[in-house]
Amino acid sequence: MAAVQWHSRERRYQAELQSSRLECVPVEFGDYHPLKAITVTDAKSRRGARKGSTSSSSSSSSSVALDPLSSMLDGTDPLSMFAAASAVEDLGRKKREEEVVGTDFEPWSAKRGEILARFTTTEKLSIVSIYHSSAKIFPGSSAVSEKVRTRLEELDDQEEGSQRELLNLSQQEYANRIEELNQSLKEAWATDQKVKALKIVIQCSKLLSDTSVIQFYPSKFVLITDILDTFGRLVYDRISSMCSADSQTLPDSFTAADVNDTAKETCLNWFFKIASIRELIPRLYVEAAILKCNRFLNKTGIQETLPRLTAMIRGIGDPLVAVYARAYLCRVGMEVAPQLKDSLNRNFFDLLSTFRQIHGDSVQNQLVLQHVEIPQYLTLYSPAIHWILQCVAYRAPDDYIHCAEIWVEFTCRHFTKREVNTVLADIIKHLTPDRAFEDAYPLLQSVIQKILTYFHDFSVLFSMERFLPFLDMFQKDGVRVAVCRTIMEVFIKHQLEPTRDPVILNALLHVCKAMHDSVNAMTLEDEKRSLSLLISGFIRMVWFGRDFEQQLSFCVEARATFCNLEPLLVQLIHTVNQLAMETRRMMRGNHSRKTAAFVRACAAYSFITIPSLSSIFCRLSLYLLSGQVALANQCLSQADAFFKAAVSLLPEVPRTISVEGKSRSSESLLLDFINNFFAMLLVVPDHPEHGVLYLVRGVLNMVQDYTWEDNGDAKVKVYISALPLLAAMSQETYLYSIPKVDSNETLYGGDPKFLTEIDKLCETLISQVLDYLKTLGREENTVRRQGSLSFSLFSSLLAHGDLRNNKLNQLAVNLWNLNHKHGCSDTRTSVRTLEYIKQQAQQPGMAHIGDMVQRLTLQSRT
């Protein structure tokens, strides 16, 4: 074909728009709807399936080779046996740890000084003192029963006659006298006066039944139990020394089988002596003091004794005396058998049942007599109750958290955030030692869910000081992410308005970062998508109003925080572009220097972020979008940078891309982008330093050098698509424009040199297309493609070329005939096109179209 001389025809867009409006015609769709799901039935049978086979269990008589590793699954291999042995060892170690009070338990000695300093008195006190007397001489007897009887008679004698009462003692004198008794106990023990030592302990224990100076009772309890502790330690050490043979002491883990008969007899003798004490309170306290000595007799002695002593306390009538007796029993119980929780729990519940006695006549009369008010009286209980609760709660992650998980709902429903915060603080306090929270994740998750059920105002939720520390206990990745998911789902559901509350933003950034940081190379795409949606919901709800700089700062922080999730980076770029457009709208055309600087900052944010995306088509589309936003805000240099970046990226587009795990051709996506890019280039002014149509030429040069598919026509399709753009650029008035942006129609003002450049470029493109059509015509299997491309070029010439030019007119006719030459054209499309041309021929100034119609014929398929 001869060379073509291109001329773009003059366009009257408004008149064309009016004449080409579609007529509304009612259409019956029936059951069809474009969004209706398409059902595909797979009629192929599964390969290798046999007729009559089912998916249920099946049997086979064929022999199967055994897996050499399968025989190890029964647990008899060395590794399984080693693992089982380790499990047993760990269980034994855990049991031993339960039998020893750890350093996380606050000892009684830490509370002793506080109690003595808090509960003081100025009233005079009295104490029964024991003086030295000559011991009676009893006839000797070799029988054991006679020896025991003699000892008991000696004990009765001292109870009745060797004591005197000291009156009008000050608090300090009372404490000094108690210390003297403690020293007397040690001296009597050292001089082998065991009965006298027991007598001292009994008389001191009796003092605990005296509440005549009631406000001093907690301090009295501390002083006297010091003597009891000394006595218990002396007795235990004495019996333990009797068990030693060949200068070898008993091991810490000894049993009754390791104790000789002499030591057992001595131990029984002490318990018999204590059992003979007539009064309840001294008998209870003294036996509790030597509770540990039960280890010398049998394995279950302590376990059997604790419930009995607990029941004995129920016989104490004064509730204050009873509560301190329970505190002492819990104290010695924790020292010797902290794993026996039943007696601790029973003492606590017995304590609760005795509170009703406080309002009884006996206690009320005593308070009136001593001029003590009920509030002051109740404070006397606090040291004992606090100690009992500490013992009950020690190493209980399981019992405690089950209770707390129930009560937190009650607190959330009926109280305020202050009480809920207190509950959370208490849970943290109990579950932090020894990382006990690791065994309670399901219950802790339930606590979070119950809180979120009743607290939908996140400003209130995150104002709780202990809420975020509570979240920090979820240190297992899977559980932590699940909890963060729950929080974000509730936030997205109930946060209806955008927020700028710094408390909410900081807390949710912490939550979202925990989700983001869980992403690694092994994370599934579905998981990434799900996390991105939740974090995206948070980002959408952040809005600082007219404080655009703060909004941009948040986007900068979010970009650094969520850099591993591409969908979030894409959303942030869209947010920043929206922010730039919102700035333009708010300013209502007043393009101040501050506004321009802010828009440039937004453009810089996008320009820096886009290259970090892995999807090349995502980068291309964002370069185009960001360039459009920059151009709309009259930031021409920034827009130019985006468009040049897009053109530079085009050669990197791979021929295939992965879509849902399958390899697909990228040509269709590339063609779509180029067509959108062409549409934008109409309003982009040429750069004064880069020549005429430098962006259009850049795209076309890329198309020329790009490695297209061997059997594809994408390159020629781009050339044909460029013709409408070039024709639109040659018009005096462009089809569309951007306010306050001078496009090429203003810059060149219809300059003949500019129009000549356009015509030359069009002629080059048409020549390239025609050469390609010739190539397609050489083989039979490409004639259909030849016909399709011919019709596309014919349509472009018809819509945008000046067909008054004879050569161009003849070229259009030739292309029409080429399309119909091999009978591959779509008859329906051809008929409609002819009808359209005939209608256009009737328009004023379109007579040349009428002449052309006479030469366009339809050829039937043969």
Side-chain angles (χ1 to χ4, degrees), residues 637 640 644 685-695 747-748:
S637 59
D640 188 67
K644 286 196 295 186
D686 283 339
H687 195 284
E689 298 179 1
H690 298 305
V692 178
L693 304 177
Y694 80 101
L695 286 175
L747 294 180
Y748 294 108

PDB file of all heavy atoms in Angstrom, residues 637 640 644 685-695 747-748:
ATOM      1  N   SER A 637       5.601  19.565  38.290  1.00  0.00           N
ATOM      2  CA  SER A 637       6.854  18.813  38.327  1.00  0.00           C
ATOM      3  C   SER A 637       6.663  17.463  39.017  1.00  0.00           C
ATOM      4  O   SER A 637       7.243  16.450  38.593  1.00  0.00           O
ATOM      5  CB  SER A 637       7.936  19.628  39.048  1.00  0.00           C
ATOM      6  OG  SER A 637       7.526  19.938  40.378  1.00  0.00           O
ATOM      7  N   ASP A 640       4.799  15.225  36.604  1.00  0.00           N
ATOM      8  CA  ASP A 640       5.715  14.780  35.560  1.00  0.00           C
ATOM      9  C   ASP A 640       6.606  13.642  36.063  1.00  0.00           C
ATOM     10  O   ASP A 640       6.880  12.682  35.337  1.00  0.00           O
ATOM     11  CB  ASP A 640       6.565  15.969  35.118  1.00  0.00           C
ATOM     12  CG  ASP A 640       7.405  15.638  33.910  1.00  0.00           C
ATOM     13  OD1 ASP A 640       6.820  15.430  32.829  1.00  0.00           O
ATOM     14  OD2 ASP A 640       8.635  15.567  34.055  1.00  0.00           O
ATOM     15  N   LYS A 644       6.712   9.932  34.363  1.00  0.00           N
ATOM     16  CA  LYS A 644       7.974   9.398  33.837  1.00  0.00           C
ATOM     17  C   LYS A 644       8.340   8.096  34.542  1.00  0.00           C
ATOM     18  O   LYS A 644       8.880   7.174  33.915  1.00  0.00           O
ATOM     19  CB  LYS A 644       9.088  10.438  34.015  1.00  0.00           C
ATOM     20  CG  LYS A 644       8.997  11.597  33.034  1.00  0.00           C
ATOM     21  CD  LYS A 644      10.287  12.384  32.957  1.00  0.00           C
ATOM     22  CE  LYS A 644      10.612  13.070  34.267  1.00  0.00           C
ATOM     23  NZ  LYS A 644      11.800  13.955  34.144  1.00  0.00           N
ATOM     24  N   PRO A 685       0.543  18.739  30.088  1.00  0.00           N
ATOM     25  CA  PRO A 685       1.322  19.641  29.216  1.00  0.00           C
ATOM     26  C   PRO A 685       2.736  19.103  29.020  1.00  0.00           C
ATOM     27  O   PRO A 685       3.310  18.447  29.886  1.00  0.00           O
ATOM     28  CB  PRO A 685       1.322  20.960  30.003  1.00  0.00           C
ATOM     29  CG  PRO A 685       1.154  20.552  31.435  1.00  0.00           C
ATOM     30  CD  PRO A 685       0.290  19.324  31.427  1.00  0.00           C
ATOM     31  N   ASP A 686       3.276  19.398  27.836  1.00  0.00           N
ATOM     32  CA  ASP A 686       4.644  18.985  27.539  1.00  0.00           C
ATOM     33  C   ASP A 686       5.633  19.726  28.435  1.00  0.00           C
ATOM     34  O   ASP A 686       5.432  20.900  28.779  1.00  0.00           O
ATOM     35  CB  ASP A 686       4.980  19.249  26.076  1.00  0.00           C
ATOM     36  CG  ASP A 686       4.353  18.216  25.161  1.00  0.00           C
ATOM     37  OD1 ASP A 686       4.029  17.118  25.658  1.00  0.00           O
ATOM     38  OD2 ASP A 686       4.187  18.511  23.957  1.00  0.00           O
ATOM     39  N   HIS A 687       6.703  19.022  28.788  1.00  0.00           N
ATOM     40  CA  HIS A 687       7.763  19.660  29.564  1.00  0.00           C
ATOM     41  C   HIS A 687       8.597  20.525  28.622  1.00  0.00           C
ATOM     42  O   HIS A 687       8.981  20.073  27.526  1.00  0.00           O
ATOM     43  CB  HIS A 687       8.641  18.587  30.219  1.00  0.00           C
ATOM     44  CG  HIS A 687       9.519  19.126  31.309  1.00  0.00           C
ATOM     45  ND1 HIS A 687      10.664  19.860  31.054  1.00  0.00           N
ATOM     46  CD2 HIS A 687       9.411  19.035  32.660  1.00  0.00           C
ATOM     47  CE1 HIS A 687      11.233  20.196  32.203  1.00  0.00           C
ATOM     48  NE2 HIS A 687      10.493  19.706  33.198  1.00  0.00           N
ATOM     49  N   PRO A 688       8.913  21.759  28.994  1.00  0.00           N
ATOM     50  CA  PRO A 688       9.638  22.652  28.083  1.00  0.00           C
ATOM     51  C   PRO A 688      11.029  22.161  27.720  1.00  0.00           C
ATOM     52  O   PRO A 688      11.591  22.599  26.702  1.00  0.00           O
ATOM     53  CB  PRO A 688       9.698  23.971  28.858  1.00  0.00           C
ATOM     54  CG  PRO A 688       9.481  23.610  30.289  1.00  0.00           C
ATOM     55  CD  PRO A 688       8.576  22.429  30.273  1.00  0.00           C
ATOM     56  N   GLU A 689      11.609  21.254  28.498  1.00  0.00           N
ATOM     57  CA  GLU A 689      12.967  20.799  28.235  1.00  0.00           C
ATOM     58  C   GLU A 689      13.027  19.458  27.521  1.00  0.00           C
ATOM     59  O   GLU A 689      14.117  18.985  27.196  1.00  0.00           O
ATOM     60  CB  GLU A 689      13.744  20.711  29.553  1.00  0.00           C
ATOM     61  CG  GLU A 689      13.891  22.044  30.277  1.00  0.00           C
ATOM     62  CD  GLU A 689      14.635  21.896  31.590  1.00  0.00           C
ATOM     63  OE1 GLU A 689      15.039  20.754  31.898  1.00  0.00           O
ATOM     64  OE2 GLU A 689      14.814  22.902  32.298  1.00  0.00           O
ATOM     65  N   HIS A 690      11.872  18.810  27.304  1.00  0.00           N
ATOM     66  CA  HIS A 690      11.884  17.454  26.765  1.00  0.00           C
ATOM     67  C   HIS A 690      11.270  17.338  25.380  1.00  0.00           C
ATOM     68  O   HIS A 690      11.154  16.232  24.854  1.00  0.00           O
ATOM     69  CB  HIS A 690      11.165  16.500  27.716  1.00  0.00           C
ATOM     70  CG  HIS A 690      11.825  16.403  29.054  1.00  0.00           C
ATOM     71  ND1 HIS A 690      13.148  16.068  29.221  1.00  0.00           N
ATOM     72  CD2 HIS A 690      11.323  16.604  30.308  1.00  0.00           C
ATOM     73  CE1 HIS A 690      13.443  16.064  30.515  1.00  0.00           C
ATOM     74  NE2 HIS A 690      12.354  16.401  31.199  1.00  0.00           N
ATOM     75  N   GLY A 691      10.837  18.429  24.778  1.00  0.00           N
ATOM     76  CA  GLY A 691      10.334  18.363  23.418  1.00  0.00           C
ATOM     77  C   GLY A 691       8.853  18.055  23.339  1.00  0.00           C
ATOM     78  O   GLY A 691       8.163  17.830  24.340  1.00  0.00           O
ATOM     79  N   VAL A 692       8.353  18.024  22.080  1.00  0.00           N
ATOM     80  CA  VAL A 692       6.919  17.852  21.832  1.00  0.00           C
ATOM     81  C   VAL A 692       6.518  16.390  22.056  1.00  0.00           C
ATOM     82  O   VAL A 692       7.188  15.471  21.580  1.00  0.00           O
ATOM     83  CB  VAL A 692       6.580  18.299  20.393  1.00  0.00           C
ATOM     84  CG1 VAL A 692       5.106  18.073  20.106  1.00  0.00           C
ATOM     85  CG2 VAL A 692       6.958  19.755  20.191  1.00  0.00           C
ATOM     86  N   LEU A 693       5.429  16.219  22.780  1.00  0.00           N
ATOM     87  CA  LEU A 693       4.831  14.891  22.987  1.00  0.00           C
ATOM     88  C   LEU A 693       5.852  13.870  23.517  1.00  0.00           C
ATOM     89  O   LEU A 693       5.851  12.719  23.138  1.00  0.00           O
ATOM     90  CB  LEU A 693       4.224  14.376  21.669  1.00  0.00           C
ATOM     91  CG  LEU A 693       3.178  15.267  20.993  1.00  0.00           C
ATOM     92  CD1 LEU A 693       2.742  14.641  19.674  1.00  0.00           C
ATOM     93  CD2 LEU A 693       1.991  15.478  21.906  1.00  0.00           C
ATOM     94  N   TYR A 694       6.684  14.305  24.470  1.00  0.00           N
ATOM     95  CA  TYR A 694       7.766  13.419  24.910  1.00  0.00           C
ATOM     96  C   TYR A 694       7.232  12.217  25.690  1.00  0.00           C
ATOM     97  O   TYR A 694       7.800  11.113  25.608  1.00  0.00           O
ATOM     98  CB  TYR A 694       8.774  14.203  25.748  1.00  0.00           C
ATOM     99  CG  TYR A 694       8.359  14.432  27.188  1.00  0.00           C
ATOM    100  CD1 TYR A 694       8.881  13.656  28.214  1.00  0.00           C
ATOM    101  CD2 TYR A 694       7.452  15.437  27.517  1.00  0.00           C
ATOM    102  CE1 TYR A 694       8.519  13.874  29.522  1.00  0.00           C
ATOM    103  CE2 TYR A 694       7.083  15.655  28.809  1.00  0.00           C
ATOM    104  CZ  TYR A 694       7.611  14.879  29.826  1.00  0.00           C
ATOM    105  OH  TYR A 694       7.237  15.082  31.123  1.00  0.00           O
ATOM    106  N   LEU A 695       6.130  12.386  26.438  1.00  0.00           N
ATOM    107  CA  LEU A 695       5.567  11.243  27.167  1.00  0.00           C
ATOM    108  C   LEU A 695       4.923  10.249  26.211  1.00  0.00           C
ATOM    109  O   LEU A 695       5.072   9.034  26.374  1.00  0.00           O
ATOM    110  CB  LEU A 695       4.548  11.731  28.205  1.00  0.00           C
ATOM    111  CG  LEU A 695       5.136  12.406  29.462  1.00  0.00           C
ATOM    112  CD1 LEU A 695       4.021  12.940  30.343  1.00  0.00           C
ATOM    113  CD2 LEU A 695       6.005  11.426  30.249  1.00  0.00           C
ATOM    114  N   LEU A 747      -0.759  25.765  25.479  1.00  0.00           N
ATOM    115  CA  LEU A 747       0.668  26.007  25.304  1.00  0.00           C
ATOM    116  C   LEU A 747       1.030  26.239  23.840  1.00  0.00           C
ATOM    117  O   LEU A 747       1.827  27.125  23.510  1.00  0.00           O
ATOM    118  CB  LEU A 747       1.459  24.812  25.851  1.00  0.00           C
ATOM    119  CG  LEU A 747       1.389  24.576  27.360  1.00  0.00           C
ATOM    120  CD1 LEU A 747       2.222  23.365  27.744  1.00  0.00           C
ATOM    121  CD2 LEU A 747       1.859  25.805  28.138  1.00  0.00           C
ATOM    122  N   TYR A 748       0.440  25.424  22.948  1.00  0.00           N
ATOM    123  CA  TYR A 748       0.792  25.532  21.533  1.00  0.00           C
ATOM    124  C   TYR A 748      -0.186  26.400  20.756  1.00  0.00           C
ATOM    125  O   TYR A 748       0.165  26.952  19.702  1.00  0.00           O
ATOM    126  CB  TYR A 748       0.862  24.147  20.897  1.00  0.00           C
ATOM    127  CG  TYR A 748       1.993  23.311  21.462  1.00  0.00           C
ATOM    128  CD1 TYR A 748       1.735  22.235  22.303  1.00  0.00           C
ATOM    129  CD2 TYR A 748       3.317  23.595  21.155  1.00  0.00           C
ATOM    130  CE1 TYR A 748       2.765  21.455  22.826  1.00  0.00           C
ATOM    131  CE2 TYR A 748       4.352  22.823  21.665  1.00  0.00           C
ATOM    132  CZ  TYR A 748       4.073  21.757  22.509  1.00  0.00           C
ATOM    133  OH  TYR A 748       5.094  21.010  23.012  1.00  0.00           O
TER     134      TYR A 748
END
